[in-house]
Every structure is written in C-alpha cells, then in structure tokens.
Amino acid sequence: MKRNVLIAGGGIAGMACALSLSRRGWQAQVHERAPAFAEVGAGVQLGPNVTRVLQAWGLGDALKPLAAFPAHLQARSAHTGEVLGALSLGEQMRARYGAPYVTLHRADLHQLLHDAALVQGTQVLADSVVQGIHPEHEAGQEVQAEVLRSGRIMAISADVAVVADGVWSKLRQQLLADGSVQPTGHLAYRTLLRQADLPAHLRSQDVTVWMGPDAHVVHYPVRGGEWLNLVVLTEGQMPGVTADDLQSWNAQLSIAQTEHDLQAALRGACGRLQDIIGAATSWRVWPLCGRTPMQGAQQHAVGRVALVGDAAHPMLPYLAQGAGMAIEDAAVLAQHLGQVGNAPLALAMFAAQRWQRNAQVQRGAVRNGQVFHARGPIRWGRDLALRVAAPMLMDQPWLYGHHVLA
Ligand SMILES: Cc1cc2nc3c(=O)[nH]c(=O)nc-3n(C[C@H](O)[C@H](O)[C@H](O)COP(=O)(O)OP(=O)(O)OC[C@H]3O[C@@H](n4cnc5c(N)ncnc54)[C@H](O)[C@@H]3O)c2cc1C
C-alpha cells in the first residue's frame, strides 16, 4: 500500500511537494482553495541551486522552451543609468555550478510542476479549503484534516500532511500559534511588457537591477524571452489598503494612481528607466509581508505535519529565492520521507536540515534590500565596490552552490 500525503495549498510549494513525493512512491492529494489556477505572480528567477533540483526531477528539457536564459545580471544606478557592475549568468554560471540560471513566468513554472505531478499520479482538488489539521490523531499513526468542499466539511486522514498555504497561512497560525505575517512596509508593483512592442533600446534579455534610494527596479525576460517582467519595489505604506487586499497577489491600482506613486518613488530616475516604467499600461501591486527569519526546526514540522514554502519562511524577494526555497524544501522532504519509514522522525530530519538554510536566505534577502535601497555614504561605498569588484560581490556561492540532493 502506498503511503499517502495530504497537501494544503496548490502553489509552487504544494505542487513541488506533490511531485517530489509522488516520485518517491507516495500518493499525493493536493487541496487548493482557488476554484481554478490563475496566471498570477508574474516572473520568477531560479538560480542553479533550484534548476539543479528541477533537472534531477527530469524537468530540464521541459523547462527550456518556457524559460529565458539571461546572459548577465547587471546592477545599474537608477539616477545616472551607469552600469555599476555585472555578473555573467550564462555559460560561466553553468560551468561553475553545473546548472543554469533561468527566468520564467510563475504560471509556467507552476504548470510545469502541476503537469509533472499529475503524470506521477497526484490528485489535485480545486475549490477545496483545508480548514484545520490535527497533527496528533488519536491512533497516533495518521493526521486528520478538515476540508471544506462543495459546501460540505469532510474529515480526511493521511499518513503525513504538508502545509503549503502560502505567506498568509492560516494553518501555520493554528499549528504554531505565532500570529500572522506583518507588512514589511515594502511594496512590489508588477507588470509584463511585450518585448516586440518596446523600442529596440528598451528590449532586454538580461536581468537588470536599477538601484535608487529607498526603491529599486528589476526587469528580466520571461516566456522564452518574448516578454519583459518588470517589478518596481518601493518603501512606504499604501493608503486605504484593507486586510483582504493584503491577501491577494493581484490587487490592482488605477494606472493614474500607480504612475503617481511610481513617479514619487523614482524621482530623479534617468530617462531610460523612466521610459521603461512609462511603457507599462497596467500594474498589479503586492504589499510585501514577512516574519522574522526562522528560529528553529520546530517551525518546519509538528509531528506528522511539515510546513513548507512561504507558509514556513516568507521572505522579501530581494534574493529572488522564495519559490526556490519552496522547491528545495520539497526535494529534502521527499528525500527523508522516501528513506525513513518513521514519518515523524523523517519530518524532524527534514526540519533539522532546512531551517538554518531558509533562515540564512531570509536574512540575506533583508540585507540585499538594504544594499539596493542605500542612500548617502553607504550608497557611495556600494557603487564604488561594484565598480571595482562586481563579479565577486554579485555572485553568491553559498546560495547557488548548495546541493540539497547531495
Ligand atoms: C515581487 C515578487 C517577486 C518574486 N520573485 C521571485 C523570484 O525571482 N524567485 C523566486 O524563487 N521567488 C520569487 N518570489 C517569491 C515566490 O513567488 C514565492 O516565494 C512562492 O510563490 C511561494 O510559493 P508557496 O507555494 O509557498 O505560496 P503560494 O504560491 O502563495 O501558494 C499558496 C497556495 O495555497 C492556497 N491556499 C491558501 N490557503 C489554503 C487553504 N486553507 N486550503 C487550500 N489551499 C489554500 C492558495 O490559494 C495558493 O494557491 C517573488 C515574490 C514577489 C512578491
């Protein structure tokens, strides 16, 4: 008999766990609250630490037509437009870390994981809300979940449960009783631009970060390079934002309101950057929420329940690794559950292996934000350092060289 796993949440983390566990012989059942999967979230970058895992799962070839393979990561001054430094991402990255650096649409990554999980026999139930999980079921051999589906509440038992309900995880709050995520005071304005519609000088196949005081802009190609994913990250609060707005990937602002906000945030930006921003015709805004970095293994597993992805370790997107850490979690979880028959022990081993890595990435993302948004003498020192030693400063061997499946 196959052991079974109930997965709460069908985002990147949930689908990655379904795939990795079903590859190890588990019967996975994913419960997703949304009635259908929407094209939310715009672009993601995946470093070699993550593409290495996707390759190990046999997805290397399927990734190729979906992804773009940028040649460089450029750091530029938002004010002068100067290229302060660059890191080669193409062949050099592949040679150094054994896997590529790619950029793609989140929906394409999600579809890739979803389809591969289905092929392995995963069952995906949409419009299915996991309302509660009891890690210590009476018999001691199973977890039990309450699931709301088609207006009915059902009790479902499983050998193991995975909490993958994202940054606003209610299940985490039930299990760990450590409150809800807090707004970080950072906002992400996101849009997609069709490269063919842009004047030639604004098209780009690189990852570019434009750094200004208290704000930065990132753009990179997605969908095989045909689209440019553009994100403006600012510091500040959004007046009139409700709790519901905070829980959506897709809060939409009027274009007039957005242009007003972005002009204020990027006052003094160079003409080229203004032109890129001005090319957008619609924006989505996402107030970024977070928690303090993970403090221990107990935040990753409770009995027969594992917490993964943003539910366990929400992070600022400034190292571009939130989805990446969800995929690393999935790989490690399946490795332990595949090798160790005692499920609580396997989850304890998973938690012990993952929490410090995730905490390190959460801290690194905060530090990167401070560097990107620096002003005054710190900004001056940053720019000088990048001019003389960019490849060394921009590479992240501790991050990209990490082999979760070693
Ligand atoms: C601007 C920005 C840029 C980013 N860029 C990158 C990047 O370049 N690289 C990168 O790796 N990461 C990036 N990230 C982070 C990345 O998108 C997230 O870390 C990742 O999507 C988290 O996946 P998840 O599955 O944990 O959560 P989600 O994708 O949010 O999925 C959670 C799912 O659970 C469902 N759900 C919620 N509650 C329930 C319930 N009770 N029952 C059933 N289902 C439920 C939700 O509907 C949702 O589908 C970025 C984030 C932002 C904001």
Side-chain angles (χ1 to χ4, degrees):
M1 270 263 289
K2 276 189 171 184
R3 292 193 289 173
N4 65 334
V5 54
L6 178 143
I7 300 174
I12 300 294
M15 286 304 169
C17 286
L19 173 59
S20 62
L21 284 163
S22 55
R23 282 172 54 82
R24 297 267 183 172
W26 283 69
Q27 177 60 54
Q29 188 177 65
V30 178
H31 293 263
E32 167 54 45
R33 178 181 60 184
F37 293 111
E39 289 232 332
V40 293
V44 286
Q45 307 175 53
L46 299 179
N49 55 310
V50 188
T51 54
R52 189 181 296 128
V53 176
L54 297 179
Q55 285 174 343
W57 290 344
L59 299 178
D61 285 341
L63 189 62
K64 278 184 196 152
L66 306 174
F69 295 80
H72 298 102
L73 164 60
Q74 286 191 335
R76 300 182 74 139
S77 159
H79 278 182
T80 64
E82 177 192 349
V83 177
L84 298 164
L87 172 71
S88 290
L89 295 181
E91 276 315 310
Q92 259 172 281
M93 202 74 161
R94 211 187 289 257
R96 182 154 194 203
Y97 297 113
Y101 194 104
V102 307
T103 54
L104 74 170
H105 196 293
R106 178 191 175 277
D108 294 338
L109 174 62
H110 185 265
Q111 189 78 47
L112 183 71
L113 296 168
H114 172 272
D115 292 353
L118 288 196
V119 168
Q120 295 289 336
T122 291
Q123 195 187 2
V124 180
L125 303 173
D127 207 358
S128 193
V129 185
V130 181
Q131 295 192 318
I133 292 184
H134 306 286
E136 306 295 343
H137 189 42
E138 284 159 18
Q141 301 296 320
E142 290 182 327
V143 284
Q144 202 171 72
E146 283 136 33
V147 178
L148 176 65
R149 223 172 122 62
S150 310
R152 285 180 44 223
I153 296 197
M154 296 179 287
I156 300 181
S157 300
D159 294 301
V160 163
V162 174
V163 168
D165 56 343
V167 62
W168 301 284
S169 173
K170 291 212 165 52
L171 295 169
R172 175 194 173 121
Q173 290 176 42
Q174 287 174 19
L175 287 163
L176 302 183
D178 60 356
S180 57
V181 280
Q182 297 300 318
T184 60
H186 291 222
L187 304 172
Y189 295 82
R190 300 174 289 117
T191 193
L192 286 168
L193 306 172
R194 191 191 290 276
Q195 303 246 27
D197 295 342
L198 293 173
H201 73 287
L202 297 185
R203 295 177 200 161
S204 172
Q205 295 295 334
D206 285 332
V207 181
T208 306
V209 181
W210 303 78
M211 299 179 293
D214 302 330
H216 74 284
V217 179
V218 184
H219 58 71
Y220 51 82
V222 295
R223 303 229 137 131
E226 287 180 17
W227 291 79
L228 196 63
N229 178 64
L230 175 63
V231 189
V232 183
L233 296 124
T234 67
E235 292 182 28
Q237 303 295 337
M238 271 173 56
V241 170
T242 66
D244 280 350
D245 292 334
L246 280 176
Q247 300 199 15
S248 161
W249 287 78
N250 277 324
Q252 195 161 17
L253 290 183
S254 77
I255 188 76
Q257 170 73 47
T258 311
E259 279 171 358
H260 172 269
D261 292 353
L262 295 185
Q263 263 168 21
L266 296 170
R267 195 169 295 121
C270 65
R272 182 170 170 153
L273 183 52
Q274 303 267 13
D275 288 347
I276 296 170
I277 304 289
T281 53
S282 73
W283 292 90
R284 303 273 179 182
V285 65
W286 192 10
L288 301 174
C289 294
R291 292 179 179 275
T292 48
M294 294 192 86
Q295 281 147 19
Q298 74 284 356
Q299 292 175 314
H300 246 321
V302 181
R304 290 173 171 266
V305 182
L307 293 95
V308 297
D310 281 4
H313 41 72
M315 59 183 73
L316 287 166
Y318 304 155
L319 266 181
Q321 286 280 341
M325 289 305 107
I327 290 169
E328 285 194 5
D329 285 348
V332 176
L333 183 64
Q335 196 168 35
H336 290 299
L337 280 171
Q339 286 170 357
V340 180
N342 177 325
L345 178 61
L347 294 197
M349 291 166 78
F350 152 78
Q353 187 177 332
R354 286 301 296 159
W355 78 268
Q356 280 159 316
R357 165 84 168 161
N358 282 318
Q360 189 182 11
V361 177
Q362 285 174 299
R363 284 193 298 270
V366 172
R367 261 196 317 275
N368 250 16
Q370 290 161 350
V371 171
F372 290 164
H373 292 193
R375 43 169 66 239
I378 297 177
R379 171 186 165 194
W380 184 85
R382 173 199 72 196
D383 292 356
L384 181 65
L386 281 170
R387 284 189 196 104
V388 296
M392 199 186 76
L393 294 171
M394 292 167 73
D395 198 1
Q396 313 272 353
W398 67 272
L399 182 59
Y400 303 140
H402 188 80
H403 286 246
V404 276
L405 293 171

